[in-house]
Structure formats: structure tokens, C-alpha cells
């Protein structure tokens, strides 16, 4: 069995997805879902392209991972995303029973993990993944800052 790549390489893949989203004019957020050291799904934001307010990278990747694995439960999966998930995405991560969540930049305004409603700490949260924030935070935050600065 080949060695499992380090977590940092999965976040780099998520950053690649974020860069691709930015090149399409989407908010640069990317997500990768991994199981047993193998990438199961990856996605970038597609809210504009799909004209879908739920077209967040996390939701697209969760749907693809569930389809690939043939289950709505992603129990042995880890999710890497470049931005702290919003409430909608945090709820989906919980419902999918994702094992670990790794995120890059904190989102003071829209985040729901370490900021805002802190969804995983809510009594109505069914499952709480292990959470690791701040991975590649500087690069993830710079992508977002540069994207929005160019729009002004």
C-alpha cells in the first residue's frame, strides 16, 4: 500500500480548486474530500455558473463523495476546505458524519465553526467532526482578499 500523502497536500489541492473557481469569476473557495488517503471528491464554488445559492464547494464535494461511495454517510472521510464553512455547509458536514474538518482562512462574517453560530457546539448538532482550522490560512486568505480587491 502506498504511503498516505500528508494533509498539507490535500489542502494544496483545495487551494487549486479555489484558484480555478476564481478564474471562473466565482468566490475562490475549494474543497477536497479524502478517505483512506485517497481523494474521493473535489470541487470549487459554482454558485454563479450553476445559478444555485447552494453551489458552495463543500456541498458540491459532499454530493460527489456520497455518489462515489454509494452512501450519504461519509464516516471515514476528511474534508479540506479553504474557508471556514458557513452554517449551511457546517450542517451538511454534520449530517454527512464527516470525520475531520480542516479549513484554511477563518470567516468572521459568514463562518459558522469558530465564528458566528458555532454550529458544531449547538445542542441541535447531530455529529461534530474533529476540527482543525488555520491550515494554509495565509494563502487561503490572500486568494480571497485579492479576489475581492480586484472587484472593487
Amino acid at each position: 500500500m502506498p504511503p498516505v500523502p500528508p494533509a498539507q497536500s490535500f489542502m494544496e489541492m483545495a487551494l487549486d480548486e479555489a484558484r480555478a473557481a476564481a478564474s471562473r469569476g466565482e468566490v475562490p473557495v475549494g474543497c477536497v474530500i479524502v478517505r483512506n488517503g485517497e481523494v474521493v471528491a473535489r470541487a470549487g464554488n459554482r454558485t454563479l455558473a450553476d445559478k444555485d445559492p447552494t453551489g458552495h464547494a463543500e456541498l458540491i464535494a459532499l454530493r460527489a463523495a456520497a455518489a462515489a461511495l454509494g452512501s450519504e454517510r461519509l464516516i471515514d472521510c476528511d474534508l479540506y476546505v479553504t474557508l471556514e464553512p458557513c452554517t449551511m455547509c457546517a450542517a451538511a458536514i454534520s449530517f454527512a458524519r464527516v470525520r475531520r474538518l480542516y479549513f484554511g482562512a477563518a470567516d468572521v462574517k459568514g463562518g459558522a465553526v469558530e465564528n458566528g453560530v458555532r454550529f458544531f457546539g449547538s445542542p441541535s448538532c447531530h455529529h461534530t467532526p474533529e476540527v482543525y482550522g488555520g491550515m494554509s490560512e495565509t494563502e487561503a486568505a490572500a486568494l480571497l482578499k485579492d479576489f475581492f480587491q480586484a472587484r472593487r
Side-chain angles (χ1 to χ4, degrees):
M1 176 186 260
V4 175
Q8 192 62 39
S9 66
F10 296 125
M11 184 57 83
E12 186 57 43
M13 290 178 199
L15 287 163
D16 288 343
E17 290 293 333
R19 289 183 200 99
S23 73
R24 297 188 306 269
E26 302 278 358
V27 174
V29 177
C31 180
V32 173
I33 298 178
V34 177
R35 181 178 180 200
N36 298 325
E38 299 285 327
V39 174
V40 178
R42 54 192 294 170
N45 272 2
R46 294 193 52 84
T47 58
L48 300 175
D50 295 348
K51 296 180 179 33
D52 179 1
T54 70
H56 291 201
E58 299 96 309
L59 293 185
I60 297 166
L62 285 166
R63 289 180 191 123
L69 297 174
S71 175
E72 76 283 6
R73 299 284 189 247
L74 306 177
I75 293 168
D76 295 324
C77 293
D78 300 334
L79 187 147
Y80 296 80
V81 65
T82 58
L83 182 64
E84 177 182 355
C86 68
T87 307
M88 174 178 67
C89 292
I93 289 165
S94 176
F95 285 130
R97 306 299 195 269
V98 167
R99 177 177 57 183
R100 293 184 193 106
L101 164 65
Y102 298 87
F103 71 86
D107 186 352
V108 176
K109 183 178 177 185
V113 177
E114 292 182 349
N115 292 286
V117 300
R118 298 180 184 201
F119 183 81
F120 298 131
S122 168
S124 62
C125 179
H126 297 292
H127 166 78
T128 302
E130 293 176 32
V131 176
Y132 303 93
M135 180 179 267
S136 298
E137 180 175 17
T138 302
E139 189 170 0
L143 277 173
L144 289 156
K145 180 181 176 190
D146 292 348
F147 177 82
F148 287 112
Q149 236 173 14
R151 298 255 180 283
R152 292 187 182 116

